[in-house]
């Protein structure tokens, strides 16, 4: 069977500034929280590889763009590092950053690759983190100024803007489960951070529309469908609903529909974690919804009713309302500890069609991280990552089905173009269509999946 996709389908991949660009002497970049944290605690990072190197795209972007073209990209997402453009988060703009991003974007456009540009990818400028980061409403104002600066500087050439990538991640990782800086367990602060991120999205959308810039503006959300252990057990179903409220609808509803779900508000009130707000906020949310939704999908969330004891009942947490359920026989990516469930991508898309006005959307990330990919280097130097081809193909089949059933899906971006630095995991897991050899001057090699993707993009579909 040949899976044919619509004309002008977006084939490409996604990355971020902090995970790819690196730093060079004299580039003018300020410290983000990642730069600061690595300097303080390098042992928190796998093999002590920090953000100053990453994939050195700052040096190699022109040849990297040529490789993107070679593997079939007609679109590519990256992000503008706030601390590169405005080193202290507020104040003077770094002209070297302006020159770099202009040339980067021009290089993409010259190759027929449309730049999709995201504004915030977990990389708070350290100077703003000193006053609380997203906990502080002043940082929302600083972010809106940053967004306006980006629109003004690059709006003549960029037609696809995104305010945030995975805004739930700074909430979960920084304020609930201690994966990212500032490594807190504080649900009240977590709720405030989430609220300010959502508010900053709405205000950036407002600024974009008021500025009369061409194109679309949206947000990128990592959506994890919540499946109850037993769909006939009312308590399991309620637990899954609550997990969905915390981790999906907390951003999906307010950015697409313009308001928070009442069930979520009730849970937050019950936990005594309501955020500080201002009277005009509700109108700002209602009047500044997004044009385009990016959907990152990696894994489902399996949920059962709360059966384990709550160890610290005085410290509110989302998982006081549910337990994670490990479904027997599930297919796993053992390197990440994530379930592989291809139908989840279809279920998400149908939900967007049925409950969110069938908003224009695309798969903005989907991917498979694998350790020790050097095992798959052949004698001729090629990298035979057939598991990645299978992973992408099996998910694309469900994207194709969703399109056939009327979902307004515009494209598919893999995470990621080339192996990149992944926060505290650094280069532990490799995700790219293109390998990066850290020990050989960051040499790039297209993997088998990259050649497969090039053929798929050229034919606008694939056979199976």
């Amino acid at each position: 069977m040949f899976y044919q996709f619509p004309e002008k389908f977006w084939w490409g991949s996604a990355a971020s500034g902090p995970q790819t660009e690196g730093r060079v002497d004299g580039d003018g970049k300020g410290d983000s929280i990642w730069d600061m944290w690595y300097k303080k605690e390098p042992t928190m990072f796998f093999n002590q590889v920090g953000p100053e190197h990453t994939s050195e795209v700052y040096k190699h972007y022109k040849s990297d763009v040529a490789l993107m073209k070679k593997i079939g990209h007609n679109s590519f997402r990256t992000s503008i590092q706030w601390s590169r453009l405005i080193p202290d988060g507020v104040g003077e703009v770094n002209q070297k950053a302006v020159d770099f991003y202009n040339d980067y974007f021009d290089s993409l456009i010259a190759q027929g690759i449309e730049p999709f540009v995201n504004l915030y990818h977990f990389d708070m400028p350290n100077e703003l983190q000193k006053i609380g980061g997203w906990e502080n409403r002043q940082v929302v104002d600083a972010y809106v100024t940053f967004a306006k600066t980006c629109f003004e500087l690059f709006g003549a050439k960029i037609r696809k803007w995104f305010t945030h990538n995975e805004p739930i991640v700074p909430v979960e990782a920084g304020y609930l489960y201690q994966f990212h800086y500032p490594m807190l367990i504080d649900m009240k602060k977590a709720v405030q951070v989430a609220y300010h991120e959502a508010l900053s999205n709405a205000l950036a959308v407002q600024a974009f529309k008021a500025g009369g810039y061409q194109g679309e503006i949206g947000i990128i959300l990592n959506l994890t469908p919540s499946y109850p252990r037993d769909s006939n057990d009312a308590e399991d179903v309620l637990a899954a609903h609550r997990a969905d409220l915390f981790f999906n609808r907390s951003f999906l509803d307010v950015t697409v529909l313009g308001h928070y779900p009442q069930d979520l508000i009730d849970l937050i009130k019950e936990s005594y974690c309501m955020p500080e707000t201002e009277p005009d906020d509700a109108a700002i949310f209602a009047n500044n919804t997004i044009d385009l939704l990016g959907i990152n999908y990696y894994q489902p969330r399996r949920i059962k009713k709360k059966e384990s004891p709550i160890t610290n009942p005085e410290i509110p947490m989302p998982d006081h309302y549910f337990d994670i359920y490990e479904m027997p026989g599930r297919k796993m990516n053992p390197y990440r500890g994530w379930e592989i469930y291809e139908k989840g991508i279809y279920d998400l898309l149908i939900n967007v069609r049925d409950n969110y006005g069938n908003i224009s959307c695309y798969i903005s990330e989907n991917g498979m991280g694998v350790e020790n990919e050097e095992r798959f280097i052949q004698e001729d130097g090629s990298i035979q990552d057939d598991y990645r081809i299978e992973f992408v193909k099996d998910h694309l089949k469900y994207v194709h089905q969703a399109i056939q059933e009327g979902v307004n899906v515009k494209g598919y971006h893999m995470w990621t173009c080339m192996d990149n630095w992944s926060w505290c995991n650094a280069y532990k897991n490799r995700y790219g269509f293109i390998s990066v050899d850290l020990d050989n001057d960051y040499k790039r090699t297209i993997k088998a999946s990259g050649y497969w993707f090039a053929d798929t993009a050229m034919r606008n579909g694939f056979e199976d």
Side-chain angles (χ1 to χ4, degrees):
M1 176 178 174
F2 189 80
Y3 291 85
Q4 182 73 58
F5 284 80
E7 287 186 29
K8 299 181 180 179
F9 196 72
W10 303 331
W11 295 105
S13 62
S16 79
Q19 291 173 271
T20 58
E21 290 173 9
R23 301 181 77 166
V24 299
D25 289 342
D27 64 6
K29 184 187 175 307
D31 279 355
S32 73
I33 53 174
W34 294 97
D35 301 303
M36 174 275 298
W37 195 21
Y38 180 73
K39 289 173 184 176
K40 285 185 175 180
E41 298 185 88
T43 56
M44 292 293 295
F45 297 79
F46 183 74
N47 285 344
Q48 297 191 39
V49 176
E52 76 279 13
H53 293 302
T54 64
S55 307
E56 296 198 341
V57 166
Y58 192 86
K59 296 180 182 178
H60 302 295
Y61 64 92
K62 289 192 176 182
S63 55
D64 289 342
V65 169
L67 288 174
M68 291 178 203
K69 180 69 172 179
K70 189 172 182 178
I71 63 171
H73 283 45
N74 62 24
S75 48
F76 172 71
R77 170 167 65 97
T78 187
S79 70
I80 294 171
Q81 288 197 73
W82 190 350
S83 59
R84 182 180 296 285
L85 189 68
I86 306 174
D88 292 331
V90 293
E92 189 175 345
V93 170
N94 173 16
Q95 186 59 42
K96 291 180 180 177
V98 177
D99 295 343
F100 162 67
Y101 287 119
N102 266 320
D103 203 40
Y104 193 2
F105 301 151
D106 287 343
S107 298
L108 287 162
I109 293 165
Q111 292 279 13
I113 301 169
E114 182 174 5
F116 288 29
V117 176
N118 178 46
L119 296 177
Y120 188 79
H121 201 121
F122 315 160
D123 54 335
M124 177 64 63
N126 189 47
E127 290 302 308
L128 294 181
Q129 187 64 41
K130 289 178 180 177
I131 62 168
W134 290 117
E135 299 169 49
N136 189 332
R137 190 163 175 137
Q138 290 178 45
V139 170
V140 175
D141 297 332
Y143 169 85
V144 175
T145 299
F146 163 59
K148 289 178 179 177
T149 303
C150 292
F151 300 151
E152 189 62 32
L153 287 168
F154 310 114
K157 63 188 67 173
I158 304 302
R159 295 291 180 268
K160 302 290 190 301
W161 291 97
F162 299 91
T163 58
H164 289 261
N165 174 81
E166 299 186 348
I168 193 66
V169 168
V171 178
E172 290 182 275
Y175 290 86
L176 292 174
Y177 302 115
Q178 294 187 303
F179 298 136
H180 292 179
Y181 193 84
M183 298 281 284
L184 299 178
I185 301 174
D186 189 324
M187 186 164 155
K188 186 165 179 60
K189 287 185 177 180
V191 170
Q192 191 69 61
V193 164
Y195 184 81
H196 281 159
E197 286 185 291
L199 182 63
S200 75
N201 166 80
L203 289 168
V205 170
Q206 183 182 64
F208 182 81
K209 299 293 175 63
Y213 299 100
Q214 295 184 24
E216 299 173 289
I217 188 166
I219 196 168
I220 294 157
L221 303 180
N222 54 317
L223 300 180
T224 49
S226 296
Y227 298 106
R229 171 182 56 182
D230 181 354
S231 59
N232 294 312
D233 183 319
E235 291 182 88
D236 280 354
V237 171
L238 178 61
H241 171 67
R242 286 173 164 173
D244 186 51
L245 288 170
F246 280 117
F247 298 113
N248 295 319
R249 295 184 61 191
S250 53
F251 285 100
L252 187 56
D253 283 41
V254 72
T255 59
V256 178
L257 303 178
H259 58 79
Y260 286 99
Q262 187 59 48
D263 288 3
L264 177 62
I265 295 170
D266 293 343
L267 287 176
I268 299 299
K269 282 182 178 176
E270 186 178 297
S271 301
Y272 301 100
C273 290
M274 286 293 284
E276 294 180 12
T277 67
E278 293 185 3
D280 292 340
D281 290 354
I284 292 170
F285 288 129
N287 294 326
N288 296 288
T289 54
I290 59 169
D291 304 321
L292 175 63
L293 176 65
I295 298 171
N296 294 354
Y297 174 69
Y298 290 95
Q299 61 177 329
R301 185 177 268 110
R302 307 282 182 183
I303 299 295
K304 62 184 178 181
K305 59 193 168 191
K306 191 66 183 173
E307 295 174 342
S308 64
I310 297 174
T311 53
N312 292 303
E314 71 282 359
I315 301 175
M317 289 288 280
D319 33 318
H320 288 182
Y321 294 95
F322 56 82
D323 277 340
I324 299 298
Y325 168 61
E326 293 189 3
M327 186 179 71
R330 60 189 181 152
K331 181 164 65 170
M332 294 292 293
N333 174 357
Y335 308 102
R336 291 293 284 139
W338 290 351
E339 180 182 350
I340 298 173
Y341 183 64
E342 298 89 346
K343 185 176 178 289
I345 206 166
Y346 167 84
D347 292 338
L348 288 173
L349 291 170
I350 295 300
N351 179 49
V352 168
R353 181 195 70 184
D354 293 348
N355 297 307
Y356 295 90
N358 203 13
I359 186 173
S360 180
C361 66
Y362 82 112
I363 301 304
S364 42
E365 286 181 30
N366 180 228
M368 185 178 187
V370 173
E371 283 187 60
N372 301 320
E373 277 199 331
E374 58 269 19
R375 292 171 293 163
F376 306 106
I377 299 176
Q378 308 301 299
E379 288 186 9
D380 63 359
S382 64
I383 301 170
Q384 203 64 37
D385 58 338
D386 293 338
Y387 44 85
R388 185 166 288 110
I389 297 171
E390 179 185 3
F391 180 95
V392 176
K393 187 183 289 187
D394 289 347
H395 283 83
L396 277 172
K397 289 176 186 176
Y398 276 108
V399 174
H400 183 270
Q401 182 179 341
I403 292 169
Q404 298 298 106
E405 296 178 19
V407 182
N408 196 13
V409 190
K410 302 293 189 182
Y412 176 91
H413 280 189
M414 171 80 167
W415 185 270
T416 181
C417 180
M418 60 190 62
D419 296 336
N420 65 16
W421 184 80
S422 193
W423 316 114
C424 292
N425 278 329
Y427 284 89
K428 182 179 181 182
N429 297 288
R430 303 300 186 103
Y431 286 87
F433 285 133
I434 300 167
S435 80
V436 175
D437 187 345
L438 302 183
D439 300 321
N440 188 15
D441 196 29
Y442 294 81
K443 179 185 176 185
R444 276 70 157 142
T445 302
I446 299 173
K447 304 175 190 178
S449 60
Y451 290 111
W452 176 86
F453 193 76
D455 182 68
T456 297
M458 180 186 69
R459 298 196 293 163
N460 204 30
F462 61 91
E463 284 178 314
D464 189 63

